[in-house]
Amino acid sequence: MKIAIIGTGNLGLSIAKGLIVNNAFTTLYLTKRKTEEIQEYEQHSKLKVTSDNREAVQHSDILIFAVQPTQMERILKEIKDDLHENHVLISTVTGFKIPAIEAIVGEEQFIVRSMPNTAIAVGKSMTCLCSNEKGKKRIAIAEAIFNRLGTSIIIPENKMQAATVICASGIAFWMRLIRATTQGAVQLGFDAKDAHELSMQTCLGAASLLIESGKHPEEEIDKVTTPRGCTIEGLNEMEHNGLSSSLIKGIQASFKKINTITTD
Ligand SMILES: NC(=O)C1=CN([C@@H]2O[C@H](COP(=O)(O)OP(=O)(O)OC[C@H]3O[C@@H](n4cnc5c(N)ncnc54)[C@H](O)[C@@H]3O)[C@@H](O)[C@H]2O)C=CC1
Ligand SMILES: O=C(O)[C@@H]1CCC=N1
């Protein structure tokens, strides 16, 4: 696969790292306005760093756009004339809808909208995908890429904003929970390094249990909560202080905010 990442910032670089680790490309172009910060990646064979988006498009078949929403229109106009009918355009750009992309490049391009998260750098992204009518014929290419870099599902475009909150912002929400449990562990006497390790691995274990067993969280919670034990004591105290409620309210606030930026 000849891939170009147009806009190699936080997310673009995470995707690039995932592609490099998985050796998932024939050639890979990384573009950025100031290339110095990513120049070191050119040490990888078959990888080129450039500030020239048109060059990257001309030498690639799959174009992954990872620029800020305000930059997307200008960049699509810039590369429009370099597109051929087989290019697959994959946008990660928050809130930039498929009709807006089609309005610039035309309905006859294969267009996929994706919402990955930064865990893509370690092959663990939960990525949501949707496409235009034409893109349905090539969405399997996007699935193949993102399934090598984690897990993907196809959703209707009108759920992309919600997917952004749950999956992309969700990384930050879960990180904060890990930090909080780390702080709790330090208060119980672990040094910061051990506390961090205990918190991360327990989080990983909880998610893995659910993924591998397919069970509901409460079924696994029931196995841990000894009657009159310390787990139910802690859980109930957390709920009295609004743990679930605060997470749900945070998700709602995030969704409200994203809909002030754009609507699907
Ligand atoms: N950061 C995240 O966790 C996620 C971000 N997104 C979306 O992905 C997009 C990128 O997000 P980030 O990586 O966080 O932003 P960022 O600001 O870190 O990266 C954007 C990159 O585009 C480059 N750029 C700007 N103009 C350019 C041009 N004309 N040609 C080439 N490169 C250019 C910038 O130099 C920058 O490196 C945004 O639309 C964001 O909403 C989606 C999912 C997750
Ligand atoms: O915080 C944001 O608005 C963007 C979208 C998802 C991740 N970062």
Side-chain angles (χ1 to χ4, degrees):
M1 291 193 282
K2 290 156 78 179
I3 303 177
I5 297 177
I6 309 295
T8 312
N10 290 318
L11 182 66
L13 193 55
S14 297
I15 296 173
K17 285 177 182 168
L19 292 171
I20 292 165
V21 168
N22 282 281
N23 201 17
F25 56 86
T26 315
T27 56
L28 178 61
Y29 273 75
L30 303 182
T31 82
K32 193 178 168 92
R33 267 184 307 206
K34 293 179 187 155
T35 55
E36 311 86 72
E37 291 161 33
I38 55 167
Q39 203 61 51
E40 63 189 277
Y41 286 88
E42 256 195 342
Q43 64 182 301
H44 296 277
S45 60
K46 303 175 289 177
L47 193 154
K48 185 157 168 41
V49 170
T50 177
S51 58
D52 187 340
N53 293 323
R54 298 191 61 181
E55 180 195 351
V57 170
Q58 286 158 7
H59 291 91
S60 307
D61 299 319
I62 297 162
L63 313 174
I64 301 177
F65 295 87
V67 293
Q68 292 294 342
T70 50
Q71 297 152 345
M72 185 64 167
E73 182 178 342
R74 191 168 45 81
I75 288 174
L76 286 175
K77 285 179 177 165
E78 179 192 344
I79 56 96
K80 181 177 171 290
D81 293 338
D82 300 300
L83 292 176
H84 56 65
E85 58 179 14
N86 287 323
H87 270 122
V88 179
L89 283 68
I90 303 177
S91 167
T92 70
V93 178
T94 304
F96 206 95
K97 290 182 241 171
I98 288 172
I101 301 174
E102 286 181 330
I104 301 168
V105 302
E107 292 175 14
E108 287 310 306
Q109 295 292 156
F110 299 111
I111 300 170
V112 176
R113 220 180 127 188
S114 68
M115 187 45 64
N117 62 39
T118 51
I120 206 160
V122 291
K124 297 283 182 197
S125 174
M126 180 65 242
T127 304
C128 293
L129 300 169
C130 61
S131 71
N132 68 343
E133 199 49 41
K134 184 91 193 267
K136 285 181 183 166
K137 297 196 181 100
R138 292 286 188 281
I139 199 164
I141 292 177
E143 281 185 286
I145 292 173
F146 290 110
N147 286 343
R148 283 183 84 164
L149 305 173
T151 305
S152 71
I153 60 167
I154 297 174
I155 62 170
E157 187 174 26
N158 66 10
K159 289 211 170 74
M160 285 302 268
Q161 304 285 67
T164 305
V165 169
I166 302 300
C167 304
S169 306
I171 286 283
F173 304 154
W174 286 105
M175 292 290 174
R176 191 53 70 80
L177 286 174
I178 290 172
R179 192 186 79 172
T181 50
T182 300
Q183 288 170 318
V186 172
Q187 197 165 1
L188 297 187
F190 290 101
D191 66 41
K193 186 170 167 293
D194 285 351
H196 186 51
E197 180 77 9
L198 298 185
S199 181
M200 284 187 303
Q201 293 296 344
T202 306
C203 178
L204 180 63
S208 303
L209 262 178
L210 296 180
I211 290 166
E212 286 176 32
S213 70
K215 286 189 176 144
H216 189 279
E218 284 306 322
E219 214 177 324
E220 291 299 330
I221 288 175
D222 283 347
K223 294 182 191 166
V224 190
T225 46
T226 306
R228 291 201 184 132
C230 62
T231 312
I232 194 65
E233 189 83 14
L235 267 181
N236 284 348
E237 181 68 19
M238 289 174 198
E239 291 300 351
H240 288 317
N241 285 289
L243 176 68
S244 296
S245 174
S246 114
L247 288 169
I248 294 164
K249 281 186 171 176
I251 284 168
Q252 286 176 321
S254 185
F255 187 61
K256 198 170 162 196
K257 176 68 182 177
I258 201 171
N259 286 320
T260 65
I261 304 168
T262 56
T263 51
D264 262 315

